[in-house]
Amino acid sequence: MDPADGALHSGSGVSLRQLLMSLGEPLVELQAAPAGLDVPIRGVALLDPEDEPVAHPAELVLAIGVRGRAALPALRAGGRGGAAAVAVKVDSPGQAAALSEAAVEAGVALLSVRREARWEQVDALARAALEDVPLDRDAEGYEEGEGDLFSLAQTTAVLTGGIVSIEDTANRVLAYSRSTDSDEVDDLRRLSILGWQGPEAYLARLRRWGVFQRLRASDEVISVDSHPELGIRRRLAVAVRSGDRQLGTIWVQEGATPLTERSEQALTGAARVAALHLVRRRRELSADVTLTATLSAGLLEGSTGPQPLATHVGVDPGRPAAVLGFSYGTAEATGPELARAEVTNLISVHTAARHRSALVTPLDQRIYVLLPQLPRSIDLGTLRSWAEEIVEAAHRHLGLPLRGSVGRIVPGLADVPGSRREADRILDAMVRTGVATTVAALPDIQAEVLVSEILGLLAERPGIRDPRLTAVVDHDSRHRGQLAASILAYLNAFGDVRAAAAELHVHPNTLRYRIRRAEELTGLDLTRADQRLLAMLQLRLPPAGN
């Protein structure tokens, strides 16, 4: 390890907490922090596999070229040398657990770096965080938040006649304009939006063409020619800057029509406005919220232990905790991005009023409420009533059909992933089995949850299905028939033909004919209990393609 690589400036550096705020969850993830989040970091050091594993006090050590357990010497050396943290790439949860245990023993923080991340990117961002200076909290500018950036992207798209993306310096997509025609979007934009980061193959080409170098060196709008053979259309790009520092980039892709005559002028103005947004995004308050969300998401997913979050937000990890889960559909007049923000805000307000320490975290298509440090006397009924209030408010104020689930109350934060899994099981069952209730805990719909999971196994494994029942469904699909629905209604009615016929709005003789017809076509014998049991399960599966 070259000491010159670790030497930075003689300043006071930053805390591990501040460094995590700057690097962001998509790049690194905290696995262990035995000394807490306030340990100081004053330098960055690169540890090559061929170097002797030594460390200097208060350094962030980037263990380049080693993965998993091969990084154990770097961790132990970091502990002996007083390093603040060691960053490593890991390939599996098992490796992360083993390294976390070693980090705790060594007394050094452990950061896992995303496998797809570039080490030079981590190095640059870490050094930038250490060199950063406090920003004036009273500076005037736009309100912070992703919604503002999305609005700016859309306005820029209107002014340029193109398709806009706003990215940070790590090529992570922060916001983008809407496109009404998917044929206008090229592969580079599509892959960037889906992955929230530019695909490495395209980024490598842009680097070879010198695009990023020109963006770093100039405030001018840069043009990138189209490359149809690579799926890249013509685009313009401009750096977003605060003083000499680049904060990000605005990209404008040309669609089906040429960009407007004043595209470059509009893009220059948009970059100056975007700088105000991105400066505010880097402020300590915003970063603190981001770190809280990152630690909460890590705990819910089981990738981060309870202590970092407990230390950061000041809660007792040994007190009871629980997770509420919510999923939503959007009203016709409400876009998905707006609905997600509005629902998140509504849930945050309601849960904060009920529990001071509640943490609201959107993950994938669901929103979770982590309730740490609950009173030991609390019960599922109370938590269910909180969730019911939220669902009712979402329907009344937003017109959104929200579903809510209550995970089990667990003894402490370490068991939170289990509560989250239970909340997910309930929401999955609500979707798969069409449960009428909008809020439930596991005891309320345990049978439905278990049936839902059995149906999930049947859906994933066609080999354990009865081919005769599959033949009934296929026959209905080819002939627009109702044999499968008739069998299921008949069985649900315990063989009461009249009740089942009334449910289907057909004559009892019509139902009797359909049952006989299905048995003749496939060889089914519904007088046998095992075949009836299989039919009641398998015929609940949605048709193929749904």
Side-chain angles (χ1 to χ4, degrees), residues 194-340:
L194 289 175
W196 283 91
Q197 184 176 31
E200 179 54 38
Y202 285 111
L203 296 179
R205 290 184 181 276
L206 294 174
R207 282 194 292 273
R208 287 201 299 272
W209 296 337
V211 174
F212 292 122
Q213 182 179 357
R214 292 168 64 193
L215 286 168
R216 286 193 296 269
S218 172
D219 292 329
E220 295 180 358
V221 175
I222 294 169
S223 178
V224 181
D225 293 334
S226 65
H227 292 268
E229 75 281 5
L230 302 174
I232 300 178
R233 297 191 182 187
R234 175 177 176 255
R235 57 197 354 98
L236 301 179
V238 66
V240 179
R241 296 185 185 282
S242 175
D244 293 332
R245 171 166 297 175
Q246 183 179 352
L247 303 177
T249 309
I250 302 181
W251 299 86
V252 180
Q253 180 222 299
E254 193 173 72
T257 58
L259 299 176
T260 61
E261 289 183 2
R262 299 196 174 184
S263 291
E264 293 190 12
Q265 179 181 340
L267 202 50
T268 300
R272 293 170 182 167
V273 174
L276 296 173
H277 293 301
L278 296 185
V279 163
R280 283 185 173 267
R281 288 169 68 92
R282 293 168 67 95
R283 288 188 174 184
E284 183 176 352
L285 179 60
S286 177
D288 183 78
V289 171
T290 301
L291 179 57
T292 301
T294 298
L295 295 174
S296 178
L299 180 60
L300 289 168
E301 293 174 333
S303 60
T304 303
Q307 195 58 52
L309 178 65
T311 301
H312 181 59
V313 300
V315 297
D316 181 354
R319 291 275 298 277
V323 174
L324 308 181
F326 295 92
S327 64
Y328 63 93
T330 58
E332 185 175 336
T334 308
E337 289 294 339
L338 180 58
R340 185 181 181 87

Side-chain angles (χ1 to χ4, degrees), residues 407-435:
R408 69 177 181 271
I409 299 171
V410 294
L413 287 185
D415 302 302
V416 156
S419 183
R420 185 254 174 124
R421 285 192 294 271
E422 185 166 293
D424 277 338
R425 292 177 67 197
I426 296 165
L427 290 176
D428 290 342
M430 287 179 166
V431 173
R432 188 177 282 133
T433 64
V435 177

Side-chain angles (χ1 to χ4, degrees), residues 124-144:
L125 286 173
R127 293 177 187 272
L130 289 169
E131 293 171 344
D132 210 355
V133 295
L135 295 168
D136 177 14
R137 289 184 175 276
D138 298 323
E140 293 184 0
Y142 284 77
E143 294 298 323
E144 64 186 301

Side-chain angles (χ1 to χ4, degrees), residues 449-464:
V449 168
L450 295 174
V451 168
S452 166
E453 291 170 351
I454 292 171
L455 292 178
L457 291 173
L458 283 173
E460 294 169 4
R461 299 174 61 184
I464 62 173

Side-chain angles (χ1 to χ4, degrees), residues 300 322-326 347 351 358-361 367-371 390:
L300 289 168
V323 174
L324 308 181
F326 295 92
I347 293 172
T351 52
L359 299 172
V360 178
T361 306
I367 301 171
Y368 299 93
V369 180
L370 170 57
L371 300 168
I390 291 169

